Amino acid sequence: MSTHNDYNLYLEQLLPILVEVSNAQDWGPKELSKLVNKYPSSDGVFSKDMLIQAYRKLAGTRGIPPFQELVIQRLQMKPTRTGSGVTPVTVLTKPFPCPGKCIFCPNDIRMPKSYLSDEPGAQRAERNSFDPYLQTYNRLQAFQNIGHQIDKVELIVLGGTWSYYPEPYQIWFVKECFRALNDFGEQKDDRKKIEEYYSEMREKLKDVTTAVVHRPVPGNNPEINKESLAAYQVHGGVLDKSYNKTVSEIYTAPEKVGGFDQYQAADWAELEFEQKRNETAISRNVGLVIETRPDNISEAEVLRIRRLGCTKTQIGFQSLNDHVLSMNKRGHDVAATRRAVNLLRQAGFKIHAHWMPNLYGSSVKLDQEDYQVLFTDPDFKPDELKIYPCSLIESAELMQYYERGEWKPYTEEELLEVLTFCLTHTPP
Ligand code: SF4
């Protein structure tokens, strides 16, 4: 429901809910769901956000017992999300070229490489102009509104190949995430100014871009429609314009003219200032995650990302089979993955690997063999793992292979066979 802006209009339904939640002996998500369905408003079921807001205002009045933190926890949405005590704040970088040519990778030009614009996290980033301050601040606000602790925050920076973004952009991006954490705790708020800036720039860039004039807020611009995007959408079957060329044309070049490249830049001293400020902030950063490719990791790069404050890297292994890597135009071999993991591990980073079954050239049997290597070869053994079964994505080059009958997604049985194997061969 989005229409419950004023809880005073719904007191009749809200009060019994809040009284019951406050007085309940046993409580769980099921009980909450039963209760909100029992007392719907004329506009539908109340959101948990609304219930928490109302509880904060009404506790101790109108028959509701005095305020208890426990009640907030009971009303919390998805309580497992911050179960570890650390709140994950995920932010996306802007659409930008990637050096990879991986045939399975989506080419959604509204997004940083490899992300799809229909994912909720990606849409959130797009609504925030991919701006790090806006994304971080708004996420903290959302978590706080639903009653989560926000004193320990893990920042997860996703999008394309981090190491390939210009260094001043990387420093600025992290600095702005930290600044948002710091400002949030001090109840300072720079969002309006930043939003106005983007709005002005959008206006300015209108005259510069001739094609799709939707930078920097694609989701918010009424001029954007399916037809105008289609002109730039790269479909697997007609891969006539690459993602890199397209995003350069519609984002990178106009941004230079508009001055974005200067706005989205900072130096090390500015970052260090915000990092220092964060040491005593209310919302403290306890982990910073970036994602990159094995062949982008070198000794110098490891030191550089450490200086940014990074503690964990999400790194695309995808496969531990050279033949499969090469068939998918991955652009690096298994030796590069070994080197990268060793360097990162020596520097104390946590390794969060990405691994993909069902790649072109693989099979159920090969995937099972590959997976075993992940946890038996001491050069790998990641601390965390995401399994991304390769999917048929319209904008990926792999679509051409599918259309030629050279690759197809696993059947549900094959997929289950691989995934259950993975689960049973993952060490505790
Ligand atoms: S390196 Fe990652 S983001 Fe770049 S093309 Fe390959 S899969 Fe996509």
Side-chain angles (χ1 to χ4, degrees):
M1 277 315 304
S2 57
T3 47
H4 295 118
N5 291 329
D6 184 358
Y7 63 85
N8 284 308
L9 301 173
Y10 304 97
L11 285 179
E12 203 183 312
Q13 298 88 355
L14 280 169
L15 289 174
I17 297 179
L18 297 177
V19 169
E20 279 196 40
V21 180
S22 304
N23 293 329
Q25 295 301 317
D26 295 318
W27 195 257
K30 271 192 194 154
E31 280 69 26
L32 179 61
S33 149
K34 270 189 226 156
L35 194 55
V36 289
N37 285 311
K38 188 169 151 195
Y39 298 105
S41 78
S42 47
D43 296 325
V45 171
F46 291 109
S47 71
K48 290 171 190 172
D49 196 355
M50 173 65 170
L51 292 172
I52 289 171
Q53 261 189 53
Y55 179 71
R56 285 193 191 281
K57 297 276 185 222
L58 297 170
T61 68
R62 300 167 194 251
I64 303 170
F67 181 87
Q68 305 167 67
E69 196 56 45
L70 174 74
V71 175
I72 298 287
Q73 284 164 16
R74 288 176 169 180
L75 295 171
Q76 266 182 5
M77 211 149 49
K78 296 184 188 158
T80 51
R81 200 178 273 270
T82 56
S84 64
V86 176
T87 303
V89 170
T90 301
V91 289
L92 260 72
T93 49
K94 63 182 179 180
F96 197 77
C98 171
K101 296 190 169 45
C102 317
I103 61 170
F104 48 78
C105 188
N107 289 291
D108 189 329
I109 54 157
R110 288 159 290 192
M111 289 291 130
K113 186 81 169 110
S114 87
Y115 285 82
L116 292 168
S117 54
D118 55 4
E119 296 161 2
Q123 287 171 357
R124 256 198 314 267
E126 192 183 27
R127 279 198 302 275
N128 284 299
S129 312
F130 299 100
D131 181 87
Y133 187 98
L134 296 178
Q135 291 183 71
T136 307
Y137 205 105
N138 287 331
R139 203 70 189 123
L140 287 175
Q141 186 76 71
F143 274 124
Q144 196 180 54
N145 287 350
I146 55 173
H148 284 297
Q149 296 292 324
I150 41 112
D151 54 340
K152 281 186 259 165
V153 172
E154 180 175 60
L155 283 168
I156 304 165
V157 183
L158 300 181
T161 296
W162 172 260
S163 312
Y164 198 64
Y165 283 81
E167 184 175 270
Y169 176 82
Q170 293 181 28
I171 300 174
W172 170 80
F173 196 94
V174 176
K175 188 260 294 179
E176 285 296 285
C177 291
F178 271 84
R179 192 164 74 86
L181 288 176
N182 297 336
D183 280 6
F184 191 81
E186 291 176 19
Q187 297 187 336
K188 290 183 184 157
D189 188 352
D190 232 2
R191 285 177 298 174
K192 196 158 175 281
K193 204 172 99 198
I194 295 174
E195 276 156 4
E196 279 169 8
Y197 173 78
Y198 283 115
S199 173
E200 273 168 33
M201 292 303 283
R202 199 160 54 242
E203 209 37 51
K204 196 168 161 188
L205 288 178
K206 239 181 191 173
D207 304 329
V208 186
T209 47
T210 49
V212 187
V213 190
H214 70 287
R215 187 68 184 128
V217 196
N220 290 353
N221 193 322
E223 286 179 43
I224 261 300
N225 54 44
K226 273 207 164 133
E227 291 71 47
S228 57
L229 265 178
Y232 272 93
Q233 192 70 46
V234 187
H235 295 284
V238 268
L239 201 68
D240 51 4
K241 235 176 186 181
S242 72
Y243 171 93
N244 285 357
K245 189 162 184 289
T246 312
V247 293
S248 296
E249 273 175 22
I250 64 172
Y251 300 113
T252 318
E255 279 184 4
K256 281 199 175 128
V257 181
F260 256 117
D261 57 332
Q262 286 151 33
Y263 175 73
Q264 296 182 332
D267 60 29
W268 289 106
E270 290 172 277
L271 171 63
E272 279 153 20
F273 175 80
E274 294 300 337
Q275 284 172 334
K276 192 84 198 149
R277 204 177 144 209
N278 193 250
E279 285 175 10
T280 50
I282 287 175
S283 282
R284 214 89 58 89
N285 177 252
V286 296
L288 173 63
V289 190
I290 55 122
E291 59 176 348
T292 195
R293 288 166 53 90
D295 54 346
N296 274 88
I297 292 295
S298 61
E299 212 167 294
E301 181 61 1
V302 165
L303 294 172
R304 212 180 57 79
I305 58 175
R306 161 62 79 233
R307 193 171 175 197
L308 284 169
C310 178
T311 56
K312 187 196 291 177
T313 52
Q314 294 205 19
I315 182 157
F317 291 11
Q318 317 313 10
S319 167
L320 297 172
N321 178 319
D322 275 337
H323 182 59
V324 172
L325 286 175
S326 131
M327 285 183 82
N328 288 271
K329 302 188 190 166
R330 179 68 186 157
H332 68 79
D333 55 10
V334 181
T337 310
R338 281 184 203 280
R339 262 195 312 275
V341 172
N342 281 331
L343 277 171
L344 289 165
R345 193 161 272 148
Q346 279 172 42
F349 284 90
K350 272 201 177 162
I351 316 283
H352 178 134
H354 293 181
W355 180 80
M356 299 183 71
N358 200 188
L359 285 173
Y360 175 51
S362 195
S363 64
V364 169
K365 191 168 165 290
L366 282 177
D367 281 343
Q368 291 175 338
E369 285 171 15
D370 208 67
Y371 194 81
Q372 277 182 302
V373 180
L374 258 183
F375 291 107
T376 49
D377 189 322
D379 275 354
F380 303 119
K381 297 193 170 183
D383 302 288
E384 295 174 12
L385 179 72
K386 269 188 197 158
I387 300 177
Y388 288 100
C390 192
S391 318
L392 185 60
I393 307 276
E394 197 183 12
S395 66
E397 190 184 341
L398 189 60
M399 185 66 154
Q400 297 173 337
Y401 294 66
Y402 172 76
E403 281 171 355
R404 292 196 298 262
E406 294 166 8
W407 174 88
K408 60 178 170 38
Y410 282 158
T411 60
E412 193 167 327
E413 289 70 34
E414 288 169 326
L415 186 61
L416 274 175
E417 195 181 336
V418 173
L419 295 181
T420 44
F421 181 91
C422 292
L423 266 178
T424 49
H425 287 79
T426 306

